[in-house]
């Protein structure tokens, strides 16, 4: 049977090369089979190279396993579910430990997904997730109450834009899964605070935190070209988080239009600044600062925009060519052995990457992108 | 030194191809070196792709690590023992948790094997295994006492045929290792109950559970061809379990002949229905239902029958050609990267598989098969 | 971007082969890129094949992760730090359990290295290390007090030469990291006891333990050639341990000259008995006993001697050709898939190895060797 399979692959390869030769000046075709193979290779490489900032339950793994969950949702390939269950089991379904810190509940997206998908009952333990969300939303805290006096301006619960990926989609999914819509309302209250502080209504992008918000002072941080500093991954967190939120938010939720509008506004901006080669630079408005594509931000954008096309929020004809270009460029960032390179390391502002630089959340962004690109041609 | 090794491999490859060309119409030769390499690749792939139904101590891993233990016993390759010790250590030598459920002690076969084989003292902790076996055999339970009223007819301890792989060989090996023959007797009592309920004395096969036993009623479940439903993996569990039992059961055990006779009767039946390409279909008497070879059942049969040849219970001349054909077909189900495909997923009756479908217990069956095929030419 | 990379690699390969053809009678050139690639492959293979004698915190893993730490220190490649943190996290920063046994604190070298290197605060827990070292140095014990009456002569704390790798460099690094120089003094007291018992001042090598020390009796153990038995790995532990000690010992430490002299004396001896092909045999003075290179001892020597060249303790012109020959031979012991072969298994005296034999501490020795060879051409 392996022989048959091999012959099929060889025939496919010959056909592909022929096609490639004839179409070399046109947009490269996207074969779903090759996308799925790239995704599986990325998963296998990442599972073989576990990495953490502070724990296997930290936000870096949280973001990675969101990608694995989305890949499973899109393809149903058992290998993703095996990886999801394995990490959840060994993590004993714990969140990370700082209950006031949005980062530390990102991992629960994967726990919720497993519980909603796997046939087995009594496998996932959602108690730690519930405990986190309740403490996070309802217990007093220095950030929430504006009592933290650090330079970063930690005067709200989600004082940095990454937080909008880490916690809101988890709270929203928890509300859906447990049929408790009140959680969405309580999430919304904090989301709006962050929007008010960090969203730049002129540029339609989020400042990473208060340090990057212009106040008109001479001391405002600027790029060498004089522009505001908008971090690619930071905005990727927000936009990908919005797609996750919209997917699981009730259609009749009273504030849904706020999220849809924000999503569409940011999507249009991101499309308008896509570099020629398909991948966004780490500093969105100063691409010349580090003039190479970066995979974590670009992966989140590709996911978010393709999700919008697939779900009827964005114009297919307008976005699809940009998305296929982005995916082809992302796929070129993958090493032969599956490693996803060109990922900016952990940080809080634009920094360079390299073909060799990798991180689990970069692999997660790659998987998220692939999971929606796969569906593009079916729209 | 690698160069010498490479040259040796190249020479071997050239010789093999030459031989292959000359013998292409005859039975493919079985080279032990290539069998051992296939087995190691299967192990490495499976270790890199951990999977569980409910826990790393569940029956799926139990069956897998029986395969790893048999592979180590046959080849002494350190890589198998490393994998065995690693899982035992991280599982803290626990069984899974339902003490009345045969599935949950299958993992202890590997713990017992390590304790009997590795030179290190005080490494394995057999207390959880002892605790399980004592509770399983001697404590009151709804199944044992016929108090479970479900449709599946759970009126005996081992009410489904898979159980005869999961618990009896472990209890038998525990009795041998701890020199307490009474456990074999207590195992036998429950084994006979299952035999009486599920063994079809006409077909010489086991019904999976009471739902598949014909009562003469019109409601009896049937294959589309009107035949009884006999599940390949289900009978694989029984036959492989019998080989394991016979290997470690005292030669003078009073009921040994019962097991030998049952083993030989089933073996003859299985041989008689082997499909032309070497691999059994998931529905033994209705191969046309899903007309492709399936690896978990076929792997268990290949193991069990080769064990019988290697141990003088089956006729070598009669069984060997069928076994070599089976192994060659099993080896063709392995992907280039080591993955063992064509494994029917978790289930309780015949279902289809595919080249891509895999499971840890399928890898276990593959390793068990290889471990006995390796010894065939030495008989 | 991958295409550019590939082209770069192809060009490099062509240049390398050309160079190789022109220089085939001279010393093979050592390309740092290929050294780094060999090291990464060794790491990846070993991480995929976890192995333990008794626990993931045992000395075998301790020695392996010393190698990983040294590789990270030399290259800064993130993959090493990911592996270091991963094991530390899952080991919960524990030592192994016998507080009087030097073996059981070797793993703490990696914990100390992470704590001194990774930016994250409050990640590593050094309490178990502190507890071990305090008990090890300051609590009463049968070995320390000469109350153990076994044949091996366990009359001092570190009664076997391997111990000089396992504990002293850890205690020394702990003293440096916590700024408590008294620990170095207390370490020195026990080091001298071992030196006095096991160092052969005629041969400039260590007996593995008292069984191998010649007393003038006819019963003294001898090699078939009549020579004393000096174990390659045993002396590798000592010499590599000395390099580790010297690196982190204060320059003005009052007994530093003792360690420098011992290091130089042993280094000269090891250089003088290097076999023609570059790799030392398991029995140093009876190479004909098992006449093939062995990787764990040779790796430790290559590390230790290259460290001495890189740090100005050994003559560069004299040692470099021997070291390059040793590294090239070590690299030839690595399989295509990254496995480091030709490693003598766990033992206490010379035994043979094979291309297939591997152990985590052998991989550790390989990484240690590579980490210093990388720096040779920069001296």
């Amino acid at each position: 049977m392996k022989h048959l399979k091999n012959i099929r692959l060889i025939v496919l390869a010959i056909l592909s090369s022929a096609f490639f030769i004839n179409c070399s000046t046109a947009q490269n075709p996207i074969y779903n089979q090759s996308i799925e193979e790239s995704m599986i290779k990325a998963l296998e490489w990442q599972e073989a190279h576990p990495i953490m900032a502070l724990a296997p339950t930290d936000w870096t793994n949280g973001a990675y396993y969101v990608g694995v969950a989305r890949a499973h949702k899109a393809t149903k390939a058992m290998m993703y579910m095996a990886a999801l269950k394995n990490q959840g089991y060994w993590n004993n379904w714990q969140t990370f430990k700082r209950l006031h810190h949005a980062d530390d509940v990102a991992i629960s997206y994967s726990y919720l997904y497993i519980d909603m998908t796997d046939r087995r009952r009594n496998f996932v333990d959602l108690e730690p997730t519930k405990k986190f969300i309740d403490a996070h939303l309802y217990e007093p805290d220095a950030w929430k109450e504006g009592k933290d006096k650090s330079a970063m301006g930690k005067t709200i619960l989600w004082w940095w834009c990454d937080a909008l990926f880490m916690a809101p989609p988890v709270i929203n999914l928890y509300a859906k899964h447990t049929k408790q819509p009140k959680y969405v309302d309580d999430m919304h209250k904090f989301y709006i605070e962050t929007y008010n502080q960090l969203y730049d209504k002129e540029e339609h992008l989020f400042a990473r935190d208060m340090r990057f918000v212009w106040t008109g002072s001479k001391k405002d941080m600027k790029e060498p070209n004089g522009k505001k500093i908008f971090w690619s991954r930071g905005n990727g967190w927000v936009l990908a988080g919005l797609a996750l939120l919209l997917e699981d938010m009730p259609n009749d939720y009273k504030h849904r239009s706020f999220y849809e509008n924000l999503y569409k506004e940011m999507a249009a901006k991101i499309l308008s600044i896509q570099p020629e080669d398909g991948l966004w630079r780490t500093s969105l408005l100063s691409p010349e600062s580090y003039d190479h594509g970066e995979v974590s931000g670009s992966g989140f954008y590709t996911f978010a925009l393709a999700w919008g096309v697939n779900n009827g929020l964005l114009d297919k004809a307008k976005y699809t060519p940009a998305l296929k270009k982005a995916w082809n460029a992302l796929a070129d960032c993958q090493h032969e052995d599956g490693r996803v390179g060109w990922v900016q390391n952990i940080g809080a502002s634009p920094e360079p990457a390299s073909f060799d630089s990798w991180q689990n959340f970069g692999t997660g962004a790659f998987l998220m992108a692939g999971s929606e690109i796969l569906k593009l041609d079916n729209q």
Side-chain angles (χ1 to χ4, degrees), chain A:
Chain A
M1 296 157 190
K2 197 163 53 179
H3 300 312
L4 279 177
K5 169 93 177 182
N6 285 344
I7 289 167
R8 218 179 57 199
L9 283 176
I10 291 165
V11 169
L12 191 71
I14 293 169
L15 291 175
S16 314
S17 355
F19 190 81
F20 188 80
I21 290 164
N22 293 330
C23 311
S24 55
T25 56
Q27 176 67 38
N28 285 346
I30 298 187
Y31 293 112
N32 277 5
Q33 185 180 343
S34 81
I35 298 172
E36 292 195 33
E37 285 171 4
S38 297
M39 291 167 67
I40 286 285
K41 282 182 79 171
L43 172 84
E44 291 183 292
W45 191 90
Q46 193 58 69
E47 289 294 308
H49 296 81
I51 189 167
M52 62 184 81
L54 287 164
T57 52
D58 67 22
W59 66 268
T60 70
N61 282 290
Y64 167 49
Y65 285 109
V66 171
V68 178
R70 301 302 301 189
H72 183 264
K73 190 167 186 176
T75 67
K76 310 295 177 212
M78 204 166 75
M79 210 180 282
Y80 298 112
M81 184 51 86
L84 286 168
K85 291 172 70 173
N86 195 58
Q87 59 94 17
Y89 177 88
W90 288 108
N91 285 335
N92 202 21
W93 314 105
Q94 297 297 305
T95 65
F96 194 38
K97 60 190 172 190
R98 301 162 301 178
L99 301 187
H100 72 296
H101 202 306
D103 283 359
D104 294 8
V105 79
I107 193 73
S108 288
Y109 187 95
S110 68
Y111 304 160
L112 286 162
Y113 178 77
I114 302 166
D115 201 55
M116 296 169 82
T117 310
D118 191 52
R119 293 173 308 161
R120 311 261 159 199
R121 295 296 87 194
N122 303 319
F123 179 62
V124 179
D125 175 9
L126 289 179
E127 272 308 305
T129 296
K130 171 182 167 38
K131 187 184 151 201
F132 187 107
I133 291 175
D134 285 342
H136 193 66
L137 292 176
Y138 307 123
E139 288 184 6
D141 166 68
W143 289 351
K144 233 183 248 183
E145 298 165 20
K147 292 179 182 163
D148 183 295
K149 301 300 181 196
S150 72
M152 268 167 154
K154 300 177 179 177
T155 59
I156 55 175
L157 180 60
W158 299 330
W159 53 264
W160 72 114
C161 71
D162 319 24
L164 301 186
F165 179 93
M166 304 302 168
V170 173
I171 297 168
N172 185 55
L173 192 59
Y174 183 78
K176 178 183 183 179
H177 184 41
T178 64
K179 301 188 173 55
Q180 300 183 81
K182 74 169 172 124
Y183 282 108
V184 184
D185 255 8
D186 295 319
M187 177 274 288
H188 178 69
K189 189 180 64 182
F190 294 111
Y191 200 104
I192 286 287
E193 287 182 0
T194 309
Y195 171 83
N196 288 337
Q197 278 208 356
L198 302 180
Y199 189 59
D200 188 310
K201 286 174 183 161
E202 193 174 299
E203 299 289 359
H204 296 175
L205 293 170
F206 272 79
R208 198 273 178 177
D209 54 55
M210 286 295 284
R211 294 172 302 169
F212 299 93
V213 174
W214 276 15
T215 63
S217 151
K218 276 192 175 172
K219 292 183 182 161
D220 286 343
M221 284 202 284
K222 288 184 179 62
E223 286 288 355
N225 65 3
K227 294 275 182 72
K228 295 175 192 163
I229 301 174
F230 291 107
W231 182 34
S232 180
R233 183 159 69 234
N235 281 277
W237 291 127
V238 180
L239 196 54
L242 281 164
L244 295 176
L245 273 174
L246 287 167
E247 178 161 307
D248 292 308
M249 186 177 273
N251 279 325
D252 59 357
Y253 176 56
K254 59 187 171 193
H255 298 299
R256 186 179 172 93
S257 60
F258 164 79
Y259 294 94
E260 287 198 0
N261 292 338
L262 179 58
Y263 168 79
K264 287 180 189 169
E265 203 168 80
M266 288 185 72
K269 175 70 176 193
I270 291 300
L271 179 67
S272 74
I273 58 173
Q274 184 186 32
E276 189 50 41
D277 61 19
L279 297 185
W280 289 261
R281 290 8 184 188
T282 55
S283 187
L284 290 175
L285 301 190
S286 179
E288 61 271 29
S289 292
Y290 308 108
D291 199 7
H292 58 73
E294 192 278 335
V295 160
S296 64
S298 300
F300 289 134
Y301 296 146
T302 305
F303 162 75
L305 301 184
W307 179 90
V309 171
N310 293 335
N311 288 277
L313 272 82
L314 300 180
D315 182 68
K316 183 177 173 172
K318 189 172 173 191
Y319 280 83
T320 299
L323 286 166
K324 292 197 172 186
K325 185 159 69 171
W327 175 260
N328 285 333
L330 286 171
D332 270 350
C333 296
Q334 187 175 33
H335 295 224
E336 285 297 318
D337 63 0
R339 186 207 303 202
V340 176
W342 290 106
V343 177
Q344 183 191 334
N345 207 341
I346 295 174
S349 62
E351 297 286 348
S354 77
F355 181 59
D356 282 339
S357 60
W358 59 281
Q359 265 290 0
N360 44 4
F361 53 82
T363 309
F366 184 89
L367 291 174
M368 291 175 75
S371 71
E372 291 295 331
I373 291 289
L374 274 174
K375 300 176 200 160
L376 268 189
D377 289 331
N378 303 329
Q379 298 313 307

